[in-house]
Amino acid sequence: MSFDNLYWGDIGAALGQTLAMVGGALALTVLVGLPLGILLYLTGRQQLFQAPVAYGSLSFVLNIIRSVPFIVLLIVLMPVTVIVTGTSLGIRGVIFPLVVGTSPFFARLVETALREVDRGIIEASLAMGASTSQTILRAVLPEALPSLLAGVTVTAIVLVDYTAMSGAIGGGGLGDLAIRYGYHRFQTEIMLVCVAILIVFVQLIQAGGNRLVIHFSRK
């Protein structure tokens, strides 16, 4: 095994693709998962808009998506991905299934974070004449912000895992590079470098997320 002839240009390009996939998919996951999580919270038991049928139906759908292994979800969604993005390959073809796969997961984290908010804060907000939307936006979400940031951090790490998995079907990024060179061409050193970069990447995400959670917990 020799590390003298590594394809640093390819590794840099793959890292850029991984960053683009994780960043783009995380932003869209928050945009989709946050409203879903709020809806789960509001329609849940003993909440402001308690609606067992709506809550049960939404939970059922989210649980179905969460039950499907991501590598299978990638393959199952291929026809839909082509319709939505025009391709099932590369960054453009991977972000859509990434969002579909992680939005239900993030929605559950949001629901859990909102449930941890003290009901006294909600009742005090309503007693002062705030509407439901004002209570959610100005009382519940700010109070749950540290937990929500922790959820975003966990989701970002899950996305790193999923982008590596998407390399198995030509999704691009470090996972794709590790599989192509490390598995198909037996160039173990490239696979090891890709794994090391992914480990550092995850550590940085976790450290950054922890700092944000601590910062907003003190306010």
Side-chain angles (χ1 to χ4, degrees), residues 18-35:
T18 296
L19 291 172
M21 285 189 285
V22 172
L26 182 62
L28 291 173
T29 295
V30 172
L31 284 177
V32 174
L34 184 61

Side-chain angles (χ1 to χ4, degrees), residues 81-155:
T81 303
V82 172
I83 293 172
V84 174
T85 67
T87 179
S88 63
L89 300 174
I91 297 174
R92 201 151 53 95
V94 167
I95 286 182
F96 175 72
L98 283 174
V99 174
V100 173
T102 53
S103 291
F105 173 75
F106 182 64
R108 285 296 187 190
L109 294 179
V110 171
E111 180 193 13
T112 302
L114 299 186
R115 278 182 175 176
E116 291 174 353
V117 175
D118 190 342
R119 285 196 66 84
I121 294 174
I122 300 170
E123 291 168 2
S125 176
L126 293 173
M128 287 189 290
S131 64
T132 302
S133 59
Q134 288 172 328
T135 300
I136 294 296
L137 293 174
R138 298 181 183 178
V140 177
L141 288 178
E143 191 67 23
L145 186 57
S147 297
L148 292 174
L149 289 172
V152 172
T153 303
V154 172
T155 305

Side-chain angles (χ1 to χ4, degrees), residues 2-16 174 177 181 189-190 192-194 196-197:
S2 172
F3 290 90
D4 295 335
N5 298 314
L6 289 174
Y7 307 114
W8 289 110
D10 290 345
I11 293 172
L15 175 60
L174 290 168
L177 197 68
Y181 285 91
E189 62 275 12
I190 293 184
L192 292 177
V193 169
C194 290
I197 293 173

Side-chain angles (χ1 to χ4, degrees), residues 4-87:
D4 295 335
N5 298 314
L6 289 174
Y7 307 114
W8 289 110
D10 290 345
I11 293 172
L15 175 60
Q17 291 171 352
T18 296
L19 291 172
M21 285 189 285
V22 172
L26 182 62
L28 291 173
T29 295
V30 172
L31 284 177
V32 174
L34 184 61
L36 287 175
I38 293 173
L39 188 58
L40 280 171
Y41 167 73
L42 288 173
T43 56
R45 188 179 178 186
Q46 297 182 338
Q47 300 304 334
L48 295 173
F49 294 132
Q50 178 175 315
V53 174
Y55 180 84
S57 302
L58 183 56
S59 291
F60 181 69
V61 173
L62 296 183
N63 287 342
I64 286 177
I65 298 174
R66 292 177 62 200
S67 301
V68 181
F70 183 67
I71 190 70
V72 177
L73 188 67
L74 270 172
I75 297 168
V76 169
L77 284 177
M78 270 185 177
V80 183
T81 303
V82 172
I83 293 172
V84 174
T85 67
T87 179

Side-chain angles (χ1 to χ4, degrees), residues 206-216:
Q206 187 64 63
N210 289 345
R211 288 180 68 88
L212 284 174
V213 170
I214 293 171
H215 175 74
F216 285 100

